[in-house]
Amino acid sequence: MSKTGHLYYKTDKNVFDALHNRKIGKTVIIEQLKDRGILISDEDEKDNIMEYASPLFTNYYDQVFLLDTLNSSSSKKTYSNVELSTKMKSLDMQKIMEGVKSDRENNETESVNLTKNNDGSFVITSTYTEADLSKNVMSQSLTKTTEVRVWEDESGCVQVRGVSDKKGLQIINAIENGIKVKDQNMEKYVIEFSTIVDHMFRNEFFRKLINSIDGFDAFDVKSVSTSTGNSPETE
């Protein structure tokens, strides 16, 4: 992007690079042009369409369209599930969640919302901006959302489930630490496979798990998604 005083504006090259992203298919560009009365043949190559469209995608609504499309995530989110053996009163749990929300709100790039549902569960949602200077200019600053849900199960244990991204894991850890302050005897139970590198052992675990569900018979399993470290894989 070029800079004039305090204003930034995107160049044709910035738009071209954004349109080249696989999230923005040829059909999407054609439909966007069609909305402004420009008809393009779908038999034309995407590179030719991008070259024609780049100088036209200059106004505010074009930028919203590009950023919304680039921000959209087609990948499946992975989740972390933690069971905490502790007895927490609803009021104490609410204070812990409010404390986590307050601490995260100190981050200027993060917007945090806390909701208490009718079933007594809490949901904390964080919307934040993530910078990645290795990407093209229009994708360097993307808005993302993570969510963590906390509730008490039938046995009285506290269940914590959240998205396994950097922010989600930070929130989960903050909740655990808050509960630990209230209950020093809290015990944590979590299924962890990151140290098991042989996929045969993980597959065997999932086969036994699926076949052990009461009232159901396993007919077929297409795929099982697991998260190993920072990169999800399907087995």
Side-chain angles (χ1 to χ4, degrees):
M1 289 187 180
S2 300
K3 180 177 179 181
T4 303
H6 295 291
L7 299 178
Y8 286 86
Y9 63 91
K10 55 188 178 296
T11 65
D12 295 357
K13 176 67 165 57
N14 299 147
V15 176
F16 184 90
D17 290 343
L19 293 176
H20 194 269
N21 191 292
R22 61 182 177 82
K23 291 183 179 180
I24 304 180
K26 181 172 68 173
T27 303
V28 174
I29 303 174
I30 292 174
E31 288 298 318
Q32 188 72 6
L33 291 171
K34 184 179 179 181
D35 289 342
R36 60 179 65 187
I38 301 175
L39 301 180
I40 299 292
S41 172
D42 59 4
E43 295 183 359
D44 205 348
E45 295 293 332
K46 182 183 177 182
D47 284 350
N48 295 333
I49 298 175
M50 291 190 305
E51 187 173 353
Y52 175 79
S54 296
L56 303 178
F57 284 23
T58 56
N59 64 36
Y60 168 77
Y61 297 103
D62 294 327
Q63 180 164 319
V64 171
F65 154 71
L66 291 172
L67 292 179
D68 285 349
T69 308
L70 293 172
N71 276 330
S72 65
S73 176
S74 57
S75 60
K76 186 177 180 180
K77 290 184 177 180
T78 59
Y79 291 84
S80 290
N81 297 273
V82 179
E83 179 178 294
L84 305 175
S85 60
T86 181
K87 301 291 184 180
M88 294 294 295
K89 296 180 180 179
S90 178
L91 183 60
D92 290 335
M93 194 70 242
Q94 182 167 340
K95 289 180 178 179
I96 292 172
M97 298 299 291
E98 289 174 347
V100 173
K101 176 179 181 293
S102 177
D103 290 341
R104 301 208 66 82
E105 283 179 332
N106 292 329
N107 188 340
E108 295 181 357
T109 63
E110 190 172 356
S111 174
V112 186
N113 182 57
L114 176 62
T115 304
K116 182 177 181 180
N117 299 319
N118 293 331
D119 60 1
S121 64
F122 296 89
V123 176
I124 186 165
T125 306
S126 170
T127 303
Y128 60 97
T129 301
E130 183 176 82
D132 187 349
L133 300 182
S134 66
K135 296 183 178 179
N136 68 67
V137 174
M138 297 194 69
S139 300
Q140 287 181 358
S141 181
L142 298 180
T143 301
K144 295 187 176 183
T145 299
T146 193
E147 183 178 280
V148 176
R149 180 171 178 259
V150 181
W151 73 97
E152 184 179 323
D153 64 16
E154 295 178 354
S155 66
C157 292
V158 173
Q159 300 288 338
V160 184
R161 185 174 193 266
V163 180
S164 298
D165 57 15
K166 181 179 179 180
K167 297 290 185 180
L169 294 176
Q170 287 176 352
I171 293 173
I172 291 174
N173 289 334
I175 293 171
E176 292 178 19
N177 292 335
I179 294 176
K180 189 71 174 179
V181 171
K182 290 283 186 179
D183 182 2
Q184 296 292 328
N185 297 319
M186 178 200 80
E187 294 184 359
K188 175 181 175 180
Y189 178 74
V190 60
I191 299 176
E192 176 61 64
F193 291 99
S194 61
T195 58
I196 303 177
V197 296
D198 191 335
H199 70 278
M200 295 297 294
F201 290 108
R202 293 199 296 268
N203 287 347
E204 181 64 20
F205 170 81
F206 283 113
R207 276 195 291 268
K208 290 183 177 180
L209 177 65
I210 293 169
N211 288 319
S212 67
I213 300 176
D214 293 336
F216 290 88
D217 293 324
F219 175 73
D220 190 17
V221 179
K222 295 296 184 182
S223 66
V224 175
S225 295
T226 62
S227 178
T228 56
N230 295 322
S231 59
E233 67 178 41
T234 299
E235 299 177 344

